[in-house]
Amino acid sequence: MSDTRTESQTLRSVGEIYGKCLNVLEGLRDQALHESGVRQSPRFPITRVAELVGRTTAAIREAEKDGRIPAVERTSSGRRIGYTLAEVNQLREAFGTRPWRSADDPVSVIAVQNFKGGVGKSTVSAHLAQYLAIQGYRVCLIDCDSQGSSTALFGYVPDLDIHEDDTLYPFFRNMEMSSLAYAVRETHWDNLYLIPANLKLYSAEYELAARISRSEPRLLNRLAEGLTSIADHFDVIVLDPPPALGTISLSVMRAANALLVPMPPTVVDFASTTTFLAMLYETLQILEERHFPVDFSWIRFVATRADEGKSMQRELLGLMRNLFGEKMLRTVMRDSAEIDNASARLMTIYELAAPVTSRETYNRGLAYLNGVNAEIETQIRTTWPSQAAKLRAEGKI
């Protein structure tokens, strides 16, 4: 009798704490929406637009004058207020400079994976997806993690704003479903789409494991089948899997054709990533033996949450560069107060209308983010045969 009462009190206590946490998250979401209004992608000045589009500012102004594109919105004094991403993409359309893959190029499916939490996996995933959208690619970010961190960075509280039917869960559960299109939702970024996640994916993890153990190993291909159903609409699909080796993570590996491993340059994270690699190696062996091979076109490691002002981190970064060689991105993703400030507002640094700390801190954080993502963009392009000549001309291969 006493054991039952204790359990009941414990359950009630945990439930109350959970409810309070949801209220806090709801308040943060509402505050962020109140401060920023309707979520919008950033606006770009004409000089930045010229870089993104690959044309001069004069050519852009001429395109506006002759009506090839609508004139950009102006203030009462006649000054341009900046171009939206949708307007930038209209310019790309007008000038024929869209960077989309050709029909013969494979869609790039990138798993951002490590089995340790707190390495910046979702931060990398969301910023990479938004960077690629800014560059003009058609992108889908799929949150495969029941914690829903990537989903939250797009302004949602997963367990309040997202229903289980909006996630991967129905597709994993119902083998009769032939397409993932039902879950693909528009975001406030032009050409960037999201399949969100919530806690229900935690149930999918165990349901999948049980079914696979009952002689349904083909379920490991389920996510790959879903991606095939939507692949024609995208250039890049970014997968944010759970930080654990479970059935969903295995499904992500089967679906992906590239692997990006985020790891902070600390001894604990290095040791954890070494364990991840050991588990990955054993898992890939088992999958291959069971005729479910995994074939990544590239594997890259990226240092996250880096503070090169700390001597131990500098030493570890040097070790990692020697160890991983060309598989290590040259640019590191530095620990940035601006990224933390953006996350507190359920957004990314790309969405901040103005620096929260200082212009210098903001510019530094943005420069490192862009450097990391530009390297990944190059890796993506190397997998597209249509880009070979252009990459050679740019001296990138």
Side-chain angles (χ1 to χ4, degrees), residues 46 58-74 80 83 91 95:
I46 191 169
I60 292 171
R61 291 188 177 98
E62 189 62 32
E64 288 182 359
K65 287 180 182 177
D66 63 24
R68 278 180 288 164
I69 59 168
V72 71
E73 191 176 347
R74 296 174 182 263
R80 286 178 171 84
Y83 294 74
L91 280 165
F95 290 121

Side-chain angles (χ1 to χ4, degrees), residues 181-229:
Y182 75 92
V184 178
R185 62 172 60 193
E186 293 182 343
T187 70
H188 50 287
W189 292 73
D190 194 51
N191 272 343
L192 173 53
Y193 295 80
L194 173 71
I195 295 182
N198 70 1
L199 192 57
K200 194 61 181 179
L201 283 183
Y202 190 68
S203 300
E205 188 76 64
Y206 292 98
E207 290 177 23
L208 279 172
R211 292 172 64 185
I212 289 171
S213 68
R214 295 197 302 266
S215 302
E216 290 188 75
R218 70 192 182 102
L219 279 172
L220 287 177
N221 286 335
R222 188 63 176 146
L223 181 58
E225 293 168 1
L227 298 193
T228 299
S229 72

Side-chain angles (χ1 to χ4, degrees), residues 42-328:
R43 287 183 177 269
F44 305 91
I46 191 169
T47 51
R48 175 64 173 143
V49 172
E51 294 174 7
L52 291 172
V53 173
R55 291 294 185 269
T56 65
T57 56
I60 292 171
R61 291 188 177 98
E62 189 62 32
E64 288 182 359
K65 287 180 182 177
D66 63 24
R68 278 180 288 164
I69 59 168
V72 71
E73 191 176 347
R74 296 174 182 263
T75 65
S76 57
S77 62
R79 184 175 64 86
R80 286 178 171 84
I81 64 171
Y83 294 74
T84 66
L85 183 55
E87 290 168 336
V88 173
N89 285 328
Q90 286 178 332
L91 280 165
R92 288 179 169 126
E93 183 73 30
F95 290 121
T97 60
R98 295 181 311 188
W100 296 359
R101 66 185 177 94
S102 74
D104 296 328
D105 294 331
V107 62
S108 185
V109 183
I110 305 170
V112 183
Q113 180 72 296
N114 200 324
F115 293 162
K116 181 180 182 299
V119 298
K121 178 174 59 67
S122 296
T123 298
V124 170
S125 300
H127 283 91
L128 174 61
Q130 291 181 359
Y131 170 88
L132 292 171
I134 290 171
Q135 302 308 310
Y137 299 98
R138 299 166 299 172
V139 186
C140 185
L141 172 61
I142 303 182
D143 196 344
C144 310
D145 186 354
S146 60
Q147 296 177 84
S149 296
S150 285
T151 300
L153 288 174
F154 279 80
Y156 300 105
V157 177
D159 296 333
L160 288 176
D161 301 325
I162 304 299
H163 189 270
E164 65 182 63
D165 291 343
D166 301 323
T167 73
L168 292 172
Y169 181 68
F171 193 77
F172 281 136
R173 192 174 191 183
N174 184 359
M175 294 297 288
E176 299 302 314
M177 296 182 72
S178 61
S179 175
L180 266 179
Y182 75 92
V184 178
R185 62 172 60 193
E186 293 182 343
T187 70
H188 50 287
W189 292 73
D190 194 51
N191 272 343
L192 173 53
Y193 295 80
L194 173 71
I195 295 182
N198 70 1
L199 192 57
K200 194 61 181 179
L201 283 183
Y202 190 68
S203 300
E205 188 76 64
Y206 292 98
E207 290 177 23
L208 279 172
R211 292 172 64 185
I212 289 171
S213 68
R214 295 197 302 266
S215 302
E216 290 188 75
R218 70 192 182 102
L219 279 172
L220 287 177
N221 286 335
R222 188 63 176 146
L223 181 58
E225 293 168 1
L227 298 193
T228 299
S229 72
I230 61 173
D232 288 346
H233 302 283
F234 300 106
D235 304 304
V236 183
I237 297 174
V238 180
L239 304 176
D240 182 7
L245 182 56
T247 50
I248 290 181
S249 289
L250 292 176
S251 299
V252 166
M253 287 183 198
R254 281 287 296 161
N257 54 32
L259 176 65
L260 180 64
V261 183
M263 58 177 295
T266 70
V267 172
V268 170
D269 287 294
F270 182 84
S272 174
T273 301
T274 302
T275 302
F276 160 66
L277 292 172
M279 296 171 68
L280 179 63
Y281 179 74
E282 292 179 9
T283 301
L284 295 181
Q285 279 187 314
I286 294 171
L287 288 173
E288 193 161 306
E289 289 169 1
R290 298 184 180 180
H291 308 292
F292 290 99
V294 172
D295 187 18
F296 297 133
S297 58
W298 54 265
I299 299 174
R300 289 295 181 272
F301 296 83
V302 55
T304 55
R305 302 183 181 277
D307 184 351
E308 293 177 291
K310 296 180 178 178
S311 59
M312 179 54 71
Q313 290 207 16
R314 287 199 306 273
E315 290 181 25
L316 275 170
L317 281 169
L319 172 66
M320 289 158 60
R321 287 175 176 132
N322 288 330
L323 193 63
F324 299 129
E326 66 176 13
K327 287 183 169 56
M328 179 85 182

